Amino acid sequence: AQGQLESGGGSVQAGGSLRLSCEPFGDIYKDYCKGWFRRGPGNEHEGVAGVSLGGERIYYTDSVKGRFTVFRVDANNSLYLQMDDLKPDDTGTYYCMACYFRSDGRIDPTGNWGQGTQVTVSS
């Protein structure tokens, strides 16, 4: 399990911003992909955003494009998600996770889920 790596969640009004942080984990050379997943009302872990080592490859799910920015700091193997213009549909528990880029561009999680950080967006 990842443990309690995620932080930065909270309650915010629609249009607000949050920055999620993930403490360093894994190996930057083995973990080519690192990303953020969220579990909303559907109780499935949706891949939200992912980034490769070096930042050459980036994925965003359609619903967050233009609003979220994922980035990693390879020097300390940390991962972040800047979330702007938040919407109620963004509500959920967010998890950081090493991932794998699928052939269709989406990200799949690798390993076990941690505790995540809760994001609640009100209207």
Side-chain angles (χ1 to χ4, degrees):
Q2 291 186 51
Q4 298 180 0
L5 301 176
E6 302 91 347
S7 63
S11 182
V12 65
Q13 291 182 298
S17 298
L18 290 170
R19 177 175 288 188
L20 307 185
S21 300
C22 182
E23 293 190 20
F25 70 95
D27 187 300
I28 65 170
Y29 300 103
K30 295 180 180 179
D31 298 329
Y32 172 74
C33 173
K34 286 188 174 182
W36 291 92
F37 299 78
R38 69 185 176 192
R39 179 172 56 85
N43 292 320
E44 294 185 356
H45 292 90
E46 175 191 22
V48 177
V51 60
S52 68
L53 178 66
E56 293 89 357
R57 191 170 184 179
I58 298 176
Y59 167 79
Y60 296 102
T61 191
D62 286 345
S63 65
V64 309
K65 289 180 178 177
R67 300 187 296 115
F68 290 11
T69 304
V70 62
F71 59 100
R72 62 193 292 179
V73 179
D74 293 338
N76 63 3
N77 203 24
S78 57
L79 180 71
Y80 303 89
L81 183 67
Q82 177 67 42
M83 304 186 293
D84 296 318
D85 192 24
L86 283 160
K87 301 178 179 180
D89 285 348
D90 296 319
T91 294
T93 306
Y94 285 70
Y95 306 85
C96 58
M97 176 68 72
C99 47
Y100 179 85
F101 287 101
R102 297 167 58 97
S103 59
D104 63 5
R106 295 183 297 166
I107 52 172
D108 278 345
T110 302
N112 302 118
W113 301 109
Q115 296 299 309
T117 185
Q118 178 66 33
V119 172
T120 302
V121 185
S122 62
S123 299

Coordinates of all heavy atoms in Angstrom, one line a residue, residues 27-92:
D27 N 10.5 4.7 -7.2 CA 11.7 4.9 -7.9 C 11.4 5.7 -9.2 O 10.6 5.2 -10.0 CB 12.4 3.6 -8.2 CG 13.8 3.7 -8.8 OD1 13.9 4.3 -9.9 OD2 14.7 3.2 -8.2
I28 N 12.1 6.8 -9.4 CA 11.7 7.7 -10.6 C 12.1 7.0 -11.9 O 11.5 7.3 -12.9 CB 12.4 9.0 -10.5 CG1 13.9 8.9 -10.5 CG2 12.0 9.8 -9.2 CD1 14.6 10.2 -10.7
Y29 N 13.0 6.0 -11.8 CA 13.4 5.3 -13.0 C 12.4 4.1 -13.3 O 12.1 3.9 -14.5 CB 14.8 4.8 -13.0 CG 15.8 6.0 -12.8 CD1 16.4 6.2 -11.6 CD2 16.1 6.8 -13.9 CE1 17.2 7.3 -11.4 CE2 17.0 7.8 -13.8 CZ 17.6 8.1 -12.5 OH 18.4 9.1 -12.4
K30 N 12.0 3.5 -12.3 CA 11.0 2.4 -12.4 C 9.6 2.9 -12.7 O 8.8 2.4 -13.4 CB 11.0 1.5 -11.2 CG 12.3 0.7 -11.0 CD 12.3 -0.1 -9.8 CE 13.6 -0.9 -9.6 NZ 13.5 -1.7 -8.3
D31 N 9.3 4.0 -12.0 CA 7.9 4.6 -12.1 C 7.9 5.7 -13.2 O 7.9 6.9 -12.9 CB 7.5 5.2 -10.7 CG 7.4 4.2 -9.6 OD1 7.1 3.0 -10.0 OD2 7.6 4.5 -8.5
Y32 N 7.9 5.2 -14.4 CA 7.9 6.1 -15.5 C 6.7 7.0 -15.5 O 6.8 8.2 -15.9 CB 8.0 5.3 -16.8 CG 7.8 6.1 -18.1 CD1 8.8 6.9 -18.6 CD2 6.6 6.0 -18.8 CE1 8.6 7.6 -19.7 CE2 6.4 6.7 -20.0 CZ 7.4 7.5 -20.4 OH 7.2 8.2 -21.6
C33 N 5.6 6.4 -15.1 CA 4.3 7.2 -15.1 C 3.9 7.3 -13.6 O 3.9 6.4 -12.9 CB 3.2 6.4 -15.8 SG 1.6 7.1 -15.7
K34 N 3.5 8.6 -13.3 CA 2.9 8.8 -12.0 C 1.7 9.7 -12.2 O 1.7 10.6 -13.1 CB 3.8 9.5 -11.0 CG 4.9 8.6 -10.4 CD 5.7 9.3 -9.3 CE 6.7 8.3 -8.7 NZ 7.4 9.0 -7.6
G35 N 0.6 9.4 -11.5 CA -0.6 10.1 -11.8 C -1.6 10.2 -10.6 O -1.3 9.7 -9.5
W36 N -2.7 10.8 -10.9 CA -3.7 11.0 -9.9 C -5.0 10.3 -10.4 O -5.4 10.4 -11.5 CB -4.0 12.5 -9.7 CG -2.9 13.3 -9.0 CD1 -1.9 13.9 -9.6 CD2 -2.7 13.4 -7.6 NE1 -1.0 14.5 -8.6 CE2 -1.6 14.2 -7.4 CE3 -3.4 13.0 -6.5 CZ2 -1.1 14.5 -6.1 CZ3 -3.0 13.3 -5.2 CH2 -1.8 14.1 -5.1
F37 N -5.6 9.7 -9.5 CA -6.9 9.0 -9.7 C -7.9 9.5 -8.7 O -7.5 9.9 -7.6 CB -6.7 7.5 -9.6 CG -5.7 6.9 -10.6 CD1 -4.4 7.0 -10.4 CD2 -6.2 6.2 -11.7 CE1 -3.5 6.5 -11.3 CE2 -5.3 5.7 -12.6 CZ -4.0 5.8 -12.4
R38 N -9.1 9.4 -9.0 CA -10.2 9.8 -8.1 C -11.3 8.8 -8.1 O -11.6 8.2 -9.1 CB -10.7 11.2 -8.4 CG -11.5 11.4 -9.7 CD -11.8 12.8 -9.9 NE -12.5 13.0 -11.2 CZ -12.7 14.2 -11.8 NH1 -12.3 15.3 -11.2 NH2 -13.4 14.2 -12.9
R39 N -11.9 8.7 -6.9 CA -13.1 7.9 -6.7 C -14.2 8.8 -6.3 O -14.2 9.4 -5.3 CB -12.8 6.8 -5.6 CG -14.0 5.9 -5.3 CD -13.6 4.8 -4.4 NE -13.0 5.3 -3.2 CZ -13.7 5.7 -2.1 NH1 -15.1 5.6 -2.1 NH2 -13.1 6.1 -1.0
G40 N -15.2 8.9 -7.2 CA -16.4 9.7 -7.0 C -17.6 8.8 -6.7 O -17.4 7.7 -6.2
P41 N -18.8 9.3 -6.9 CA -20.0 8.6 -6.6 C -20.1 7.2 -7.3 O -20.7 6.3 -6.7 CB -21.1 9.5 -7.1 CG -20.5 10.9 -7.1 CD -19.1 10.7 -7.5
G42 N -19.4 7.0 -8.4 CA -19.5 5.8 -9.1 C -18.6 4.7 -8.4 O -18.6 3.5 -8.8
N43 N -17.8 5.1 -7.5 CA -16.9 4.2 -6.7 C -15.8 3.5 -7.6 O -15.3 2.5 -7.1 CB -17.7 3.2 -5.9 CG -18.5 3.8 -4.8 OD1 -18.0 4.7 -4.1 ND2 -19.7 3.4 -4.6
E44 N -15.6 4.0 -8.7 CA -14.5 3.5 -9.5 C -13.3 4.5 -9.5 O -13.6 5.7 -9.4 CB -14.9 3.3 -11.0 CG -15.9 2.2 -11.1 CD -16.3 1.9 -12.6 OE1 -15.8 2.6 -13.5 OE2 -17.0 0.9 -12.8
H45 N -12.1 4.0 -9.6 CA -11.0 4.9 -9.6 C -10.7 5.4 -11.0 O -10.2 4.6 -11.9 CB -9.7 4.1 -9.1 CG -9.8 3.8 -7.6 ND1 -10.4 2.6 -7.1 CD2 -9.5 4.5 -6.5 CE1 -10.4 2.6 -5.8 NE2 -9.8 3.8 -5.4
E46 N -11.0 6.6 -11.3 CA -10.9 7.2 -12.6 C -9.5 7.8 -12.7 O -9.1 8.6 -11.8 CB -11.9 8.3 -12.8 CG -11.7 9.1 -14.1 CD -12.6 10.3 -14.2 OE1 -13.1 10.8 -13.1 OE2 -12.9 10.7 -15.3
G47 N -8.8 7.6 -13.8 CA -7.5 8.2 -14.0 C -7.8 9.7 -14.4 O -8.4 10.0 -15.4
V48 N -7.3 10.6 -13.6 CA -7.5 12.0 -13.7 C -6.4 12.7 -14.6 O -6.6 13.4 -15.5 CB -7.7 12.8 -12.4 CG1 -7.8 14.3 -12.6 CG2 -8.8 12.2 -11.6
A49 N -5.2 12.4 -14.1 CA -4.0 13.1 -14.8 C -2.8 12.2 -14.5 O -2.6 11.7 -13.4 CB -3.8 14.5 -14.3
G50 N -1.9 12.1 -15.5 CA -0.7 11.4 -15.3 C 0.4 12.1 -16.1 O 0.2 12.9 -17.1
V51 N 1.7 11.9 -15.6 CA 2.8 12.5 -16.2 C 4.0 11.5 -16.2 O 4.2 10.8 -15.2 CB 3.2 13.9 -15.5 CG1 3.5 13.6 -14.1 CG2 4.3 14.6 -16.2
S52 N 4.8 11.5 -17.2 CA 5.9 10.7 -17.3 C 7.1 11.3 -16.7 O 7.2 12.5 -16.4 CB 6.2 10.4 -18.8 OG 6.7 11.5 -19.5
L53 N 8.1 10.4 -16.4 CA 9.4 10.9 -16.0 C 9.9 11.9 -17.1 O 9.9 11.6 -18.3 CB 10.4 9.7 -15.8 CG 11.8 10.1 -15.5 CD1 11.9 10.7 -14.1 CD2 12.7 8.8 -15.6
G54 N 10.3 13.1 -16.6 CA 10.8 14.1 -17.6 C 9.7 15.0 -18.1 O 10.0 16.0 -18.7
G55 N 8.4 14.6 -18.0 CA 7.3 15.4 -18.4 C 7.0 15.3 -19.9 O 6.1 16.1 -20.3
E56 N 7.6 14.4 -20.6 CA 7.3 14.4 -22.1 C 5.9 13.9 -22.4 O 5.4 14.3 -23.5 CB 8.4 13.5 -22.7 CG 9.8 14.1 -22.7 CD 10.5 13.7 -21.5 OE1 9.9 13.0 -20.6 OE2 11.7 14.0 -21.3
R57 N 5.4 13.1 -21.6 CA 4.1 12.5 -21.8 C 3.1 12.9 -20.7 O 3.4 12.7 -19.5 CB 4.2 11.0 -22.0 CG 2.9 10.3 -22.5 CD 3.2 8.9 -22.8 NE 2.0 8.2 -23.4 CZ 2.0 7.0 -23.8 NH1 3.1 6.2 -23.7 NH2 0.9 6.5 -24.3
I58 N 2.0 13.4 -21.1 CA 1.0 13.9 -20.1 C -0.4 13.4 -20.5 O -0.7 13.4 -21.7 CB 1.0 15.4 -19.9 CG1 2.4 15.9 -19.4 CG2 -0.1 15.9 -19.0 CD1 2.5 17.4 -19.4
Y59 N -1.2 13.0 -19.5 CA -2.6 12.6 -19.8 C -3.5 13.4 -18.8 O -3.2 13.6 -17.6 CB -2.7 11.1 -19.5 CG -4.2 10.7 -19.4 CD1 -4.9 10.6 -20.6 CD2 -4.8 10.5 -18.2 CE1 -6.3 10.2 -20.5 CE2 -6.1 10.2 -18.1 CZ -6.9 10.0 -19.3 OH -8.2 9.7 -19.2
Y60 N -4.6 13.8 -19.4 CA -5.7 14.4 -18.6 C -7.0 13.7 -19.1 O -7.2 13.6 -20.3 CB -5.9 15.9 -18.8 CG -4.7 16.7 -18.2 CD1 -3.7 17.2 -19.1 CD2 -4.5 16.9 -16.9 CE1 -2.7 18.0 -18.6 CE2 -3.5 17.7 -16.4 CZ -2.6 18.2 -17.3 OH -1.5 18.9 -16.8
T61 N -7.9 13.4 -18.2 CA -9.2 13.0 -18.6 C -9.9 14.2 -19.1 O -9.7 15.3 -18.7 CB -9.9 12.3 -17.4 OG1 -11.1 11.7 -17.9 CG2 -10.3 13.3 -16.3
D62 N -10.8 14.0 -20.0 CA -11.5 15.1 -20.7 C -12.1 16.1 -19.8 O -12.1 17.3 -20.1 CB -12.5 14.6 -21.7 CG -11.9 13.9 -22.9 OD1 -10.7 14.1 -23.2 OD2 -12.6 13.2 -23.6
S63 N -12.7 15.7 -18.7 CA -13.5 16.6 -17.9 C -12.6 17.6 -17.2 O -13.1 18.6 -16.7 CB -14.3 15.8 -16.9 OG -13.4 15.1 -16.0
V64 N -11.3 17.4 -17.1 CA -10.4 18.3 -16.4 C -9.5 19.1 -17.2 O -8.7 20.0 -16.8 CB -9.6 17.6 -15.2 CG1 -10.5 16.8 -14.4 CG2 -8.5 16.8 -15.8
K65 N -9.5 18.8 -18.5 CA -8.6 19.5 -19.4 C -8.8 21.0 -19.4 O -10.0 21.5 -19.4 CB -8.8 19.0 -20.9 CG -8.2 17.6 -21.1 CD -8.4 17.1 -22.5 CE -7.9 15.7 -22.7 NZ -8.1 15.2 -24.1
G66 N -7.7 21.8 -19.3 CA -7.8 23.2 -19.2 C -8.0 23.7 -17.8 O -7.9 25.0 -17.6
R67 N -8.2 22.9 -16.9 CA -8.5 23.3 -15.5 C -7.4 22.7 -14.5 O -7.1 23.4 -13.6 CB -9.8 22.9 -15.0 CG -11.0 23.5 -15.9 CD -12.3 23.2 -15.3 NE -12.7 21.8 -15.2 CZ -12.8 21.1 -14.1 NH1 -12.7 21.6 -12.9 NH2 -13.1 19.8 -14.2
F68 N -7.0 21.5 -14.8 CA -6.0 20.9 -13.9 C -4.6 20.8 -14.6 O -4.5 20.7 -15.8 CB -6.4 19.4 -13.6 CG -7.6 19.3 -12.7 CD1 -8.4 20.4 -12.4 CD2 -8.0 18.0 -12.2 CE1 -9.6 20.2 -11.6 CE2 -9.1 17.9 -11.4 CZ -9.9 19.0 -11.1
T69 N -3.6 20.9 -13.8 CA -2.2 20.7 -14.2 C -1.5 19.7 -13.3 O -1.5 19.9 -12.1 CB -1.5 22.1 -14.2 OG1 -2.2 23.0 -15.0 CG2 -0.1 21.9 -14.8
V70 N -1.0 18.7 -13.9 CA -0.2 17.7 -13.2 C 1.3 17.9 -13.5 O 1.7 18.3 -14.6 CB -0.6 16.3 -13.6 CG1 -0.4 16.0 -15.1 CG2 0.1 15.3 -12.7
F71 N 2.1 17.9 -12.4 CA 3.5 18.0 -12.6 C 4.2 17.2 -11.5 O 3.7 16.9 -10.5 CB 4.0 19.4 -12.7 CG 3.6 20.2 -11.4 CD1 4.6 20.4 -10.5 CD2 2.4 20.8 -11.2 CE1 4.3 21.2 -9.3 CE2 2.1 21.5 -10.1 CZ 3.1 21.8 -9.2
R72 N 5.4 16.8 -11.9 CA 6.2 16.1 -10.9 C 7.6 16.7 -10.8 O 8.1 17.4 -11.7 CB 6.4 14.6 -11.3 CG 7.1 14.4 -12.7 CD 6.9 13.0 -13.2 NE 7.6 12.0 -12.4 CZ 7.6 10.7 -12.6 NH1 6.9 10.2 -13.7 NH2 8.3 9.9 -11.9
V73 N 8.2 16.6 -9.6 CA 9.5 17.1 -9.4 C 10.4 15.9 -9.3 O 10.4 15.2 -8.3 CB 9.6 18.0 -8.1 CG1 11.0 18.5 -7.9 CG2 8.6 19.2 -8.3
D74 N 11.1 15.6 -10.4 CA 11.9 14.4 -10.4 C 13.1 14.4 -9.4 O 13.5 13.3 -9.0 CB 12.5 14.2 -11.8 CG 11.4 13.9 -12.8 OD1 10.3 13.5 -12.4 OD2 11.7 14.1 -14.0
A75 N 13.5 15.6 -9.0 CA 14.6 15.7 -8.1 C 14.3 15.0 -6.7 O 15.2 14.4 -6.1 CB 15.0 17.1 -7.8
N76 N 13.1 15.0 -6.3 CA 12.7 14.4 -5.1 C 11.5 13.4 -5.3 O 11.0 12.9 -4.3 CB 12.3 15.4 -4.0 CG 11.2 16.2 -4.3 OD1 10.5 16.1 -5.4 ND2 10.9 17.2 -3.4
N77 N 11.2 13.1 -6.5 CA 10.2 12.1 -6.9 C 8.8 12.4 -6.3 O 8.1 11.5 -6.0 CB 10.7 10.7 -6.3 CG 10.1 9.6 -7.1 OD1 9.6 9.7 -8.2 ND2 10.0 8.4 -6.4
S78 N 8.5 13.7 -6.2 CA 7.2 14.1 -5.8 C 6.3 14.4 -6.9 O 6.7 14.6 -8.0 CB 7.3 15.3 -4.8 OG 8.0 16.3 -5.4
L79 N 5.0 14.4 -6.6 CA 3.9 14.6 -7.6 C 2.9 15.6 -7.1 O 2.6 15.6 -5.9 CB 3.3 13.3 -7.9 CG 2.2 13.2 -8.9 CD1 2.7 13.4 -10.3 CD2 1.4 11.9 -8.8
Y80 N 2.4 16.4 -8.0 CA 1.4 17.5 -7.6 C 0.3 17.5 -8.6 O 0.4 17.1 -9.8 CB 2.1 18.8 -7.6 CG 3.3 18.9 -6.6 CD1 4.5 18.6 -7.0 CD2 3.1 19.3 -5.3 CE1 5.6 18.6 -6.2 CE2 4.1 19.3 -4.4 CZ 5.4 19.0 -4.8 OH 6.5 19.1 -4.0
L81 N -0.8 18.0 -8.2 CA -2.0 18.3 -9.1 C -2.5 19.7 -8.7 O -3.1 19.8 -7.6 CB -3.0 17.2 -8.9 CG -4.2 17.4 -9.9 CD1 -3.8 17.2 -11.3 CD2 -5.3 16.4 -9.5
Q82 N -2.4 20.6 -9.6 CA -3.0 21.9 -9.4 C -4.3 21.9 -10.0 O -4.5 21.6 -11.2 CB -2.1 23.0 -10.1 CG -2.7 24.4 -10.0 CD -2.8 25.0 -8.6 OE1 -1.8 24.8 -7.9 NE2 -3.9 25.6 -8.3
M83 N -5.4 22.2 -9.3 CA -6.7 22.1 -9.7 C -7.3 23.5 -9.6 O -7.4 24.1 -8.5 CB -7.5 21.2 -8.8 CG -7.0 19.8 -8.8 SD -8.0 18.6 -7.9 CE -7.9 19.3 -6.3
D84 N -7.7 24.1 -10.8 CA -8.3 25.4 -10.8 C -9.7 25.3 -11.4 O -10.1 24.3 -12.1 CB -7.5 26.3 -11.7 CG -6.1 26.6 -11.2 OD1 -6.0 26.8 -10.0 OD2 -5.1 26.6 -12.0
D85 N -10.5 26.3 -11.2 CA -11.9 26.3 -11.6 C -12.6 25.0 -11.3 O -13.2 24.4 -12.1 CB -11.9 26.6 -13.2 CG -13.3 26.9 -13.7 OD1 -14.2 27.4 -12.9 OD2 -13.6 26.7 -14.9
L86 N -12.5 24.7 -10.0 CA -13.1 23.4 -9.6 C -14.7 23.4 -9.7 O -15.3 24.4 -9.6 CB -12.8 23.1 -8.1 CG -11.3 22.6 -8.0 CD1 -10.9 22.8 -6.5 CD2 -11.3 21.1 -8.3
K87 N -15.2 22.3 -10.1 CA -16.6 22.1 -10.2 C -17.1 21.0 -9.3 O -16.4 20.1 -8.8 CB -16.9 21.6 -11.7 CG -16.4 22.6 -12.7 CD -16.7 22.1 -14.1 CE -16.2 23.1 -15.2 NZ -16.5 22.7 -16.6
P88 N -18.4 21.0 -9.0 CA -18.9 20.0 -8.1 C -18.7 18.6 -8.6 O -18.5 17.7 -7.7 CB -20.5 20.3 -8.1 CG -20.5 21.8 -8.3 CD -19.4 22.1 -9.3
D89 N -18.6 18.3 -9.9 CA -18.3 17.0 -10.4 C -16.9 16.5 -10.1 O -16.6 15.4 -10.2 CB -18.6 16.9 -11.9 CG -20.1 16.9 -12.2 OD1 -20.9 16.7 -11.3 OD2 -20.4 17.1 -13.4
D90 N -16.0 17.5 -9.6 CA -14.7 17.1 -9.3 C -14.6 16.5 -7.9 O -13.6 16.0 -7.5 CB -13.8 18.3 -9.3 CG -13.6 18.9 -10.7 OD1 -13.5 18.1 -11.7 OD2 -13.6 20.1 -10.8
T91 N -15.7 16.5 -7.2 CA -15.8 16.0 -5.8 C -15.4 14.5 -5.8 O -15.9 13.7 -6.6 CB -17.2 16.2 -5.2 OG1 -17.4 17.6 -5.0 CG2 -17.3 15.5 -3.8
G92 N -14.6 14.1 -4.9 CA -14.2 12.7 -4.7 C -12.9 12.6 -3.9 O -12.4 13.6 -3.4

